[in-house]
Structure formats: structure tokens, C-alpha cells
Amino acid sequence: MKLWPVLAALCTSIVPDVAAAQDPFPGFKSNAEIKAEEDARDGSEAATPTEPVARVEMSAMDVVPGQALDMRVTVLVPTYMPSPPVFPTFDQPNLMISLPEGGSGPVTERVGASNWSGVSRRYKVTPMVAGNFGIPSLEITVTWADPETNAPVETTLSLAAQSFTATVPDGSESLDPFIAAETLSLTQTVEGSAEALEPGDTLTRNITAEITGSSAILLPALAPTGALPGLAAYPDSPTVQDRENRGKTVGTRSERTVYLAESGAQSSLPVIKLRWFNTNTGQIETASVEAIPYNVDGPILPRVADSDRATLIYVGFAVLLGTLAAIGLIRHRARKRDTSPPPPTEASLFRDLMQTVKARDLHNIYGALDRWAAMTQGPDPRRHKDVQLALTNIGAAAYGPPDSEPGATWASLATALSAARHSGTLTRAAQHLPALNPTGSA
């Protein structure tokens, strides 16, 4: 009996298939595997772009109102850029967009099998209110060197549109206005002796709010606006400014109010509180400054109520309007008197008469002659024989045969009128001359 076939079968069933369990030649690759890797590498190199590329990245897709997010725009070219790219500028309602200090700089990235150079710019985008916001597609103009000729080439790249949401956190809907920040503090200083005021003295209150991680534009007015006993408030314009500190926005709002002591009173400048949402802890906190007691040593004067003050304002305004209307009416009447025409005189009526003659106005010549004659003294110029003859000739020329000459007749009327006026003047002068040989009474 042969045992070899039995032993072979037994060994086969006990020892596992070594060829199937491990590679008998570790570190060696088959021809098929080598070809597959070469094809993959060739395909990757073929997919490497040859034109400049631009991309945009958002640091967050959901923020709270007042919290800034970063929008980073990166431009890469296969060679180099002889001049900086022209980045877009854009604006949108309810969004505050700024360029933080140090937000732009050169970058180098691996694109395919090559190292590309470029520029990156960071925009700080802050939603001022809650809602959905969209930034449209923007364009960038890039000037880069051609890989073959090294000549400058200008290319316009488009950025993909972006969107994000600003949401008020749960539990903070009661904040009005909604203020989100990493830190917020209120401080105050006082100028003057609040406890020993007299009428005419002043007391100054300076209030400063400092906010980190958000803009000071979100901060409301700090000083109270209500009336204070014995004091009159004179607030200055607030000072609002933002700055960058280690990549974070730090804002301040400063208000200065001067209080003038008017009458005796004992009260306090009220406490100031500001509720805000802490983005680090997710809790609502309160910043505040204490009240400032004051005392005005003087007689207590009755205070005019707001309703009475409004009535006085309306009455004063009505009186002012009435006064202005009266002045305007008086000036109008005076101007009307100054511009009214002077009464007619013999000289002015004669000038009008001669203008009518010059215009050869047959319809108005008799009316003008009558008005002038009424102002003359002495013989009636209308009965002057040369005047009557000239008027007769003018009528004949107007209604007679066409061969008559009207110009000569009108000229003769002008001469006759001047002669009649001259003769009337001489007559009036002769009437007023004293007798050459006065005789006394017998």
C-alpha cells in the first residue's frame, strides 16, 4: 500500500494556502499594477489647470447678528503676477464689510504637480440684523505672466456666490437691541462736585462702553434722556470708533453730558444698564454703572411740565409767525407805494402824445390830444389852426385817395403840436409878467 498520496492529501488539508495568504515576493509589483499607477499619474498631470484660479471660502455659515465672519478670497497663478490683482469691492444692506489690518498677503499652494503662487485677501462680514444673506458672484481681474512668452496676460475670474444666515440664539429674543459680543463693559467718570452744587454750577458725566468681538455701531445711546430735578442736560455728540486688536474687533462708544444746575434739588443721575449676549458662554449678561447722587443748594423753582412746555412752544411759534406776517405785509404795502406810477403831468402827457404821433396811431391820437389839452393852461391847443389843419389832412390821407402821402401829414401834426405848446407857454408867461409901466391909484 502506498502512503504518499494519503500523506499529501493530509498535508493539504492541514497547511493553509500560503500563496493565497501572502505575497511570496513582497515589494515587487506586477506589470499590470505598474501600468495602472502610471495611467493615474498621467491623468492627474493632465487635469492640472493652466489658467489662473480663484476661490472663496466662508469661515461660518450660521452666526448671530453682530458676530463677524471671514470671507477669504484666494487667487493662484502658475507663474507669477507682475501687478497685484484687482479684488472686488461690494456693499449690501444690513451688512458691514471691512478689510481688517493684515488681512491680505502672498500664498503658495500645490496645484497638481507644481507649486503655484498667489494672493489671499480676507473680508470681515458682519450682519447687523437677523436674516438670510447672499453675496452675489464677484469678479477679479488678474494680470499674470504667460508660461511660454513671459508676457503679461490679463484674465477676469468669477467667484462663486455665497450665502449665510444670522440667527438670534434661543432665549435672547427679549434683548432690545440685540447685542452679541465676547466682552462688554461700562465705565463712567464724573467732573465736578455732585454733592455741593449751586445754581449755575455744572456737573459732567462721561460714560464709555467697550465691546470686543463686535462693532461699536451696535451699541445704543447710553445716557438717559428723561428730565432731572434741578438740572438741565446738554449732551455732546457721541464718539464711536472700532479698531483691530490681534485679529479681533474692539469698539468703544463714549458719551459726555454736561448738567447745568438751575434750582434747588436733591436726586441722582440714574443707573445705566445694558443687557447683552455673551458669544463665549452663550448666556445673557448685564453691564452697568452706578447712579450718581447730587445736591443743588438753592431755591426750588416750579418745573414746567412737558405738556405746558409744548404749549408754550406752540404759542411762541404762533406769535413768531404772526410777527413775520405783519412785517411782510408792511413791507409789501411800502413796496407797492414805492412802485405805483406818479401822477401824470403836462410834460409826461405831451411825451405820450408825441409817441402816438410817431406811431401814426389814428385811433388813439384824439384821446392822447384830449388828455394833454386838459393839463395845459391858456388857449386850447386843439383849436390851434395848424393843429386842426394837420388833423384834417391826416383824416383825408387815411380815408382819401391812395396817392396822398401820410408821412408828411403826420410830420406836420408834430410840428403844429410843438408850436401850439410853445405858444401856450409864451401866453402863460406873459400872463404872469408884471406891467412894464405900473400906474398907481388915482
Side-chain angles (χ1 to χ4, degrees):
M1 182 178 181
K2 296 182 179 181
L3 299 177
W4 176 250
V6 177
L7 293 174
L10 182 60
C11 291
T12 302
S13 62
I14 295 174
V15 181
D17 188 358
V18 178
Q22 62 181 13
D23 186 358
F25 303 102
F28 291 90
K29 297 180 180 179
S30 65
N31 293 334
E33 291 175 334
I34 295 175
K35 187 175 185 308
E37 291 182 358
E38 291 178 351
D39 292 342
R41 185 170 59 253
D42 294 342
S44 175
E45 294 178 355
T48 301
T50 58
E51 296 284 334
V53 295
R55 68 170 184 268
V56 57
E57 300 168 293
M58 306 291 287
S59 63
M61 293 291 104
D62 193 357
V63 296
V64 298
Q67 183 180 13
L69 58 88
D70 291 335
M71 187 181 80
R72 183 172 292 277
V73 177
T74 304
V75 180
L76 296 171
V77 297
T79 53
Y80 65 93
M81 288 182 283
S83 59
V86 181
F87 284 94
T89 58
F90 59 98
D91 194 8
Q92 192 167 331
N94 296 323
L95 281 183
M96 186 174 65
I97 302 169
S98 61
L99 297 174
E101 184 178 355
S104 300
V107 295
T108 301
E109 292 188 13
R110 187 78 174 179
V111 179
S114 305
N115 288 328
W116 286 32
S117 61
V119 179
S120 178
R121 168 169 288 187
R122 180 166 63 97
Y123 297 86
K124 181 164 287 188
V125 182
T126 306
M128 309 303 291
V129 297
N132 297 320
F133 297 91
I135 299 177
S137 176
L138 304 173
E139 292 186 346
I140 301 179
T141 302
V142 181
T143 302
W144 57 292
D146 184 88
E148 297 180 358
T149 64
N150 211 33
V153 180
E154 187 174 287
T155 303
T156 300
L157 305 176
S158 297
L159 296 174
Q162 303 294 316
S163 63
F164 65 94
T165 303
T167 307
V168 175
D170 295 337
S172 59
E173 295 84 355
S174 61
L175 294 181
D176 187 19
F178 178 82
I179 303 174
E182 296 180 8
T183 62
L184 195 153
S185 62
L186 288 179
T187 58
Q188 70 175 350
T189 60
V190 178
E191 302 173 16
S193 179
E195 296 293 340
L197 294 172
E198 295 182 357
D201 293 344
T202 59
L203 179 67
T204 303
R205 188 182 197 182
N206 301 298
I207 307 171
T208 301
E210 184 172 279
I211 187 172
T212 303
S214 190
S215 173
I217 297 177
L218 297 174
L219 296 174
L222 304 175
T225 57
L228 295 171
L231 297 181
Y234 298 91
D236 292 346
S237 299
T239 302
V240 180
Q241 61 181 3
D242 290 333
R243 69 181 190 276
E244 290 289 324
N245 184 14
R246 297 181 180 179
K248 292 184 179 181
T249 300
V250 179
T252 56
R253 179 186 177 97
S254 301
E255 296 184 8
R256 182 175 185 270
T257 304
V258 178
Y259 298 93
L260 176 65
E262 294 182 327
S263 62
Q266 187 173 5
S267 185
S268 298
L269 302 181
V271 63
I272 299 175
K273 296 182 178 181
L274 191 59
R275 301 173 69 230
W276 59 286
F277 178 80
N278 191 323
T279 56
N280 291 330
T281 63
Q283 301 295 322
I284 296 178
E285 300 182 10
T286 302
S288 63
V289 292
E290 297 179 351
I292 301 175
Y294 67 88
N295 180 62
V296 181
D297 187 11
I300 300 177
L301 301 179
R303 190 170 187 85
V304 180
D306 292 340
S307 58
D308 296 337
R309 189 186 303 273
T311 301
L312 291 176
I313 293 176
Y314 291 146
V315 171
F317 188 67
V319 172
L320 177 61
L321 288 180
T323 304
L324 293 177
I327 294 175
L329 180 61
I330 294 173
R331 295 183 62 182
H332 175 72
R333 289 180 176 177
R335 188 162 52 249
K336 187 175 181 180
R337 286 195 301 268
D338 295 340
T339 57
S340 58
T345 61
E346 183 274 337
S348 64
L349 292 177
F350 184 76
R351 285 194 300 270
D352 295 341
L353 174 60
M354 297 305 288
Q355 289 292 333
T356 305
V357 173
K358 184 177 180 181
R360 300 180 186 181
D361 188 353
L362 183 60
H363 298 287
N364 294 317
I365 185 63
Y366 289 98
L369 179 59
D370 292 340
R371 288 190 293 273
W372 171 63
M375 294 294 293
T376 60
Q377 296 179 0
D380 189 346
R382 291 171 294 187
R383 298 185 179 276
H384 194 280
K385 61 178 183 178
D386 293 338
V387 173
Q388 291 181 345
L389 178 60
L391 289 174
T392 301
N393 294 334
I394 289 174
Y399 303 106
D403 55 350
S404 60
E405 180 61 36
T409 57
W410 283 101
S412 63
L413 176 60
T415 302
L417 289 172
S418 297
R421 185 171 185 247
H422 182 67
S423 62
T425 302
L426 293 178
T427 302
R428 289 192 299 273
Q431 292 176 350
H432 291 85
L433 289 175
L436 294 178
N437 297 311
T439 57
S441 55

